Amino acid sequence: MSRGRVHAAAGRFAESKADFESALKVVEKLYGRNSFMTISALDGLAFAERGLNDGRLALKHLEEAVSIGEQTFPNGNVIMCKIYNNLGNVAASQMEFDKGARYLKRAIEEYERFFPGDSQWLAVPYVNYAEAMVALGKRDEAQVYVRRADEIAENAMPEGCPDRAACQSSLKELKRILKESTGREEDGKVRLADELHERVVSLMDGRKYADALSLCDQMLEIRDRPGCDPRSRKLSEMGLKGLCLSKVGKTDEGLKLLMEVLDQSIARFGRESADAMILYGNIASVCRDAGDFARAVEFFRKSLNVALVLKKPGSEDVLSNCWALTDALRRTGDLVEAERVARRMLEEARRGRSDDSKEVRFAKKLLDGLRADLQKER
C-alpha cells in the first residue's frame, strides 16, 4: 500500500492500481474482509482508478469500503470521514449528484463528530458539499457552506498549506458562480443538463451504454422543467436514450422511442434536417443489429438521401451512409443494388481526393469485392 501511494503521488496510476490490488488480496487473507486494512486498500485502489479515468470502478470500490466500514465501525470511525468524502466526490464526478451530496453531507456529519467546528479538516468537505449543492441548483445551501469554508480557510489553515491554497481557489470559483447565478437558477439547470449530455455522449463513445442510459433520465427530467427550452437538445437526447436502450438489449423499447422522436423531429424540422438524418441512421443501425436487414436498408437509404442534400459532396457523412447502405443491401442478398451504391460511394470518395487516399482505396476495395461476388453468382 505504501508503494501504491508513492506511485499515485508521482502520477503512475497503473502501477499504483496494481500495488493496491495486490495489497487488497493480502489484507483480505490476513485480516478478513471486514477490516480497517481492507477499507484502506479499497480507498487507495479507488484513488488509482480515478487517476486512470475509471470513475465507475472507483465508485464501486468506495461503495464496498463504505459497506465494510459501516459493519466494522457501527459507532463511526475517523477513517470513515475520508471515505464518505471520497465517495461523495466520485459520485458527483459521475454526474450522480444526489448520491454525491448525500455522502458528502454524511462526511461533514462525521467530521463534525470527531473534530471541533473550526477545525481545518472541515474546510475541504464544506467546499465539496457546496460544489454539489451548486450542481443541484441549491444555491442558498451552497452559500452557507461557502461561508463556513471561507472562515476556516482564512482563520484555521496555516499560511503556505497546500490545502489552504486549493480551498481558496475552489472558493473563489464557487463565489463567482453563485454571484452569476443569482436570480438565474434555471440557467444552472440548463448547464447541468448540458454537462449530462456531454457525459452521455462520452460514455456512448466508450460503448458504456448501461452507464449512459442511467444518466439519460436525469438529463431529460431537467429538460422538462420550466425554464429549460424543450427544443434545445431534448429531441436528440431522447434519441440517445433510444439508442442506449437498444444497445442494452431493450431493442423494441429503444426502436419505439427512436420512431417517436423521428415523428416529432419531422413534424418540427421537416424530413431533410440533420436531426432526421441522424435518426434515420440510428434506426437503421438498430434494425441491422436485430437482423432486420430489409428495414435497415430502408432507413439507411433515407439517411443517405438526406446526407446528399445537406452535406458537401464526398463528405464523411455521405461516405459512411453509402457504406452502411451497401453493407445492408449485401446482407439482404441484393448484390446488384449493393454494387450500384458502392459505385456511387467511389464517385463521392474521388471528389477532392487522390486515388491513393484511404477513402478512395476503401471504396475501390468494397466495389471490387462486390463485383467478384456478382461474377460468382452469375
Side-chain angles (χ1 to χ4, degrees):
M1 283 199 280
S2 296
R3 189 170 67 183
R5 293 188 186 98
V6 171
H7 280 312
R12 297 187 293 269
F13 296 110
E15 293 91 335
S16 176
K17 180 176 179 178
D19 283 332
F20 279 111
E21 285 175 336
S22 298
L24 182 60
K25 292 176 183 176
V26 173
V27 298
E28 285 184 335
K29 185 174 182 179
L30 291 175
Y31 306 109
R33 183 70 173 167
N34 293 340
S35 72
F36 169 86
M37 294 294 284
T38 299
I39 296 169
S40 186
L42 285 167
D43 182 49
L45 181 57
F47 185 84
E49 287 159 348
R50 288 188 73 184
L52 293 169
N53 295 318
D54 196 343
R56 301 307 300 179
L57 197 53
L59 186 62
K60 173 179 176 289
H61 286 133
L62 284 167
E63 286 176 329
E64 289 178 25
V66 163
S67 176
I68 292 169
E70 290 178 346
Q71 293 177 53
T72 307
F73 308 114
N75 298 319
N77 185 286
V78 173
I79 190 177
M80 295 308 296
C81 302
K82 177 190 174 189
I83 304 299
Y84 285 131
N85 184 71
N86 291 349
L87 176 53
N89 276 331
V90 174
S93 74
Q94 296 301 299
M95 303 296 179
E96 296 189 32
F97 295 110
D98 287 326
K99 178 187 285 188
R102 186 167 68 252
Y103 280 109
L104 288 168
K105 189 64 179 290
R106 186 74 183 274
I108 287 172
E109 291 168 353
E110 292 299 301
Y111 273 113
E112 289 176 342
R113 279 182 60 198
F114 290 100
F115 300 100
D118 60 350
S119 169
Q120 62 174 310
W121 296 106
L122 284 162
V124 172
Y126 283 163
V127 168
N128 292 339
Y129 185 67
E131 288 175 343
M133 291 298 99
V134 167
L136 289 169
K138 298 181 179 180
R139 191 176 59 252
D140 292 343
E141 191 166 359
Q143 287 173 331
V144 169
Y145 284 91
V146 164
R147 285 195 296 271
R148 292 182 184 179
D150 206 15
E151 289 173 5
I152 292 173
E154 186 67 29
N155 301 319
M157 301 182 88
E159 290 282 353
C161 169
D163 280 348
R164 175 175 177 165
C167 233
Q168 289 179 327
S169 175
S170 297
L171 285 167
K172 183 178 179 181
E173 179 64 11
L174 278 168
K175 289 174 185 177
R176 182 189 67 78
I177 292 170
L178 288 167
K179 183 178 180 181
E180 289 181 357
S181 65
T182 302
R184 294 164 53 198
E185 186 174 342
E186 295 306 327
D187 287 351
K189 292 174 183 175
V190 173
R191 285 197 298 272
L192 174 56
D194 289 344
E195 288 174 14
L196 286 166
H197 181 106
E198 297 307 316
R199 179 67 181 159
V200 166
V201 171
S202 175
L203 288 167
M204 292 178 72
D205 287 344
R207 300 182 184 277
K208 297 180 179 179
Y209 298 108
D211 291 338
L213 182 59
S214 70
L215 298 182
C216 283
D217 285 333
Q218 295 180 45
M219 178 171 63
L220 291 168
E221 182 184 355
I222 294 170
R223 297 294 187 204
D224 283 334
R225 293 177 182 178
C228 283
D229 179 359
R231 297 170 298 174
S232 56
R233 283 186 166 183
K234 185 179 176 184
L235 278 179
S236 65
E237 288 167 352
M238 289 170 66
L240 292 177
K241 180 180 178 180
L243 197 56
C244 286
L245 284 166
S246 70
K247 293 294 186 180
V248 299
K250 299 180 179 181
T251 303
D252 291 343
E253 188 178 347
L255 195 55
K256 180 183 177 184
L257 181 55
L258 284 167
M259 293 299 293
E260 290 174 1
V261 174
L262 177 63
D263 289 343
Q264 291 182 46
S265 180
I266 289 172
R268 180 172 290 163
F269 306 114
R271 294 182 181 278
E272 293 182 349
S273 70
D275 283 350
M277 183 190 74
I278 292 169
L279 286 163
Y280 285 140
N282 287 344
I283 291 167
S285 297
V286 172
C287 294
R288 180 193 58 202
D289 294 346
D292 189 349
F293 301 116
R295 200 174 185 198
V297 165
E298 175 191 350
F299 282 96
F300 276 133
R301 194 184 300 280
K302 290 179 177 180
S303 184
L304 174 59
N305 289 339
V306 177
L308 290 169
V309 172
L310 295 182
K311 303 297 180 178
K312 290 182 179 179
S315 69
E316 185 62 35
D317 285 307
V318 171
L319 294 180
S320 63
N321 273 292
C322 281
W323 179 86
L325 178 56
T326 301
D327 180 65
L329 285 163
R330 192 179 212 166
R331 289 168 187 259
T332 64
D334 191 348
L335 296 180
V336 174
E337 181 64 9
E339 192 264 353
R340 188 190 70 79
V341 177
R343 273 190 283 115
R344 177 63 184 268
M345 181 178 178
L346 181 57
E347 292 171 10
E348 294 290 336
R350 281 177 167 154
R351 294 177 184 268
R353 299 184 182 91
S354 63
D355 274 7
D356 63 349
S357 68
K358 65 178 181 180
E359 292 85 357
V360 173
R361 285 187 283 111
F362 179 83
K364 278 183 176 179
K365 184 177 180 181
L366 179 65
L367 183 56
D368 289 344
L370 281 164
R371 285 173 173 169
D373 289 343
L374 274 169
Q375 189 65 34
K376 288 176 186 176
E377 192 176 79
R378 287 168 183 158

